[in-house]
Amino acid sequence: MRNELDLTRMRTFVAVAGQLSFSGAARRLGLSQSAVSQQVRRLEEEIGRTLLERDTHTVRLTAEGETFLGYAHRMLDLNDEAIGAVASSQPRGRVRFGVSEDFALTRLPDFLRRFRARHPHIDLEFTVELSVMLHRRLRAGELDAVLAMRLNATTGVDAFRPRTLFRDPLVWVSAPGVEIEEDQPVPLVLYPRPSLTRDAALDALMSVGRAHRVVCTSGSLSGLRAAALAGLGVMPFARSLTPDGLVDREHGLPVLPETTFVLMTRGTSLSPAVRALVDALQDDHRELHVDPR
């Protein structure tokens, strides 16, 4: 006789005992009748006793089966209670989560797969926008948490408890074969205003007196990437988040500032669901961080 019992076989036995029918239990459990018979037989082998007497017409519990049935109900109830207690202790609810365009299409999917596996009862309502707009929506109370970019010189967000996830230099990226002529205006592929990377690029070029022109503007990263891949121009981007197909090249252009990706929330009292998201992102920061050196 073994020292442990298989709960699946025990649940099958309880179903047969309740129906006093192998075929009825099979229909209830969605199993074949032969599978039900096999599970009951193996349970009887586990405990070394006959639990059910059956012939071609009837099924009835033996004396040992009657005794065992009470324990089986108690063990299955305790199993279900334990699972329910653990499940109910998991955070539940909805989180209005704002994510910057740059991050959403590069690093975010892998994080979300891990988060969903750990917190299946939390629903995320996504907003994907430019970082400046996310800051505004957080201040307006339209979002619960924001993962966005800010330049190191940016101020005015400390009230929203910024937590630094990683730092990254902005760099000029383009299609591999693009060349920028020194005597020609720099062709720029940029997000529309308001945009931190747009402002950083224009400020850097104006600081050295470099002529430039905006050849493409798009509010989506997909649009910017398409324009850059087509060789229309260069765009400023966080080095570790450079879209596929584009390369980091200096092109003789001025150095851009470092950027910081921060996680921000409203207030100090967070709901369990928001706290779970914050903790998961902070725990995951090593996955997200890329050393810019």
Side-chain angles (χ1 to χ4, degrees):
M1 178 177 174
R2 293 175 53 185
N3 292 325
E4 67 273 355
L5 296 170
D6 185 295
L7 291 180
T8 300
R9 295 168 187 169
M10 195 179 304
R11 200 177 295 277
T12 301
F13 163 71
V14 169
V16 175
Q19 300 276 330
L20 289 179
S21 167
F22 280 83
S23 60
R27 287 192 297 271
R28 178 180 173 185
L29 297 172
L31 300 173
S32 67
Q33 187 170 336
S34 62
V36 170
S37 298
Q38 184 181 59
Q39 288 190 20
V40 170
R41 183 170 64 255
R42 289 183 176 175
L43 177 63
E44 291 175 326
E45 292 171 355
E46 284 180 343
I47 64 175
R49 295 290 186 274
T50 299
L51 302 176
L52 295 167
E53 291 181 347
R54 54 273 211 192
D55 55 32
T56 55
H57 301 292
T58 61
V59 176
R60 61 180 181 274
L61 289 163
T62 64
E64 291 84 356
E66 290 279 5
T67 301
F68 185 76
L69 181 61
Y71 286 102
H73 276 298
R74 288 164 57 188
M75 293 175 70
L76 293 172
D77 288 345
L78 184 59
N79 174 77
D80 295 343
E81 180 183 340
I83 293 174
V86 172
S88 64
S89 67
Q90 292 181 346
R92 296 171 180 267
R94 178 182 64 125
V95 179
R96 298 171 300 170
F97 186 27
V99 188
S100 71
E101 180 86 17
D102 299 351
F103 196 87
L105 297 183
T106 52
R107 297 296 183 84
L108 190 63
D110 287 340
F111 167 77
L112 290 179
R113 280 191 288 271
R114 293 188 291 269
F115 181 79
R116 185 63 178 174
R118 283 184 283 178
H119 299 288
H121 303 297
I122 295 179
D123 298 322
L124 296 177
E125 181 181 301
F126 274 108
T127 296
V128 177
E129 286 191 90
L130 299 181
S131 292
V132 173
M133 298 305 299
L134 294 175
H135 293 314
R136 292 179 180 177
R137 295 192 65 176
L138 182 67
R139 289 195 294 271
E142 298 173 2
L143 297 171
D144 301 311
V146 161
L147 194 167
M149 175 191 298
R150 67 168 179 168
L151 298 180
N152 284 353
T154 302
T155 60
V157 296
D158 289 347
F160 299 96
R161 307 180 65 214
R163 303 162 176 86
T164 297
L165 291 184
F166 65 97
R167 292 183 174 86
D168 214 3
L170 287 179
V171 293
W172 300 102
V173 300
S174 66
V178 169
E179 298 292 341
I180 305 298
E181 301 293 337
E182 291 187 11
D183 59 347
Q184 296 295 319
V186 178
L188 298 175
V189 176
L190 300 174
Y191 282 120
R193 293 186 176 91
S195 162
L196 296 178
T197 56
R198 181 190 182 102
D199 291 345
L202 295 178
D203 288 347
L205 291 170
M206 288 188 289
S207 71
V208 298
R210 186 70 185 269
H212 54 273
R213 64 190 182 97
V214 179
V215 298
C216 179
T217 300
S218 175
S220 75
L221 177 55
S222 297
L224 294 181
R225 178 174 178 267
L229 284 174
L232 299 187
V234 297
M235 66 178 182
F237 219 80
R239 175 179 288 167
S240 70
L241 303 181
T242 299
D244 290 342
L246 302 179
V247 294
D248 165 14
R249 295 184 61 191
E250 294 182 359
H251 290 294
L253 301 178
V255 175
L256 295 169
E258 185 177 69
T259 186
T260 302
F261 280 85
V262 295
L263 175 63
M264 291 177 290
T265 56
R266 291 179 55 82
T268 57
S269 180
L270 305 181
S271 71
V274 174
R275 169 56 61 189
L277 177 66
V278 169
D279 289 346
L281 279 165
Q282 290 183 313
D283 291 344
D284 218 49
H285 77 281
R286 292 179 182 173
E287 296 274 350
L288 304 176
H289 174 73
V290 174
D291 190 340
R293 290 174 296 175

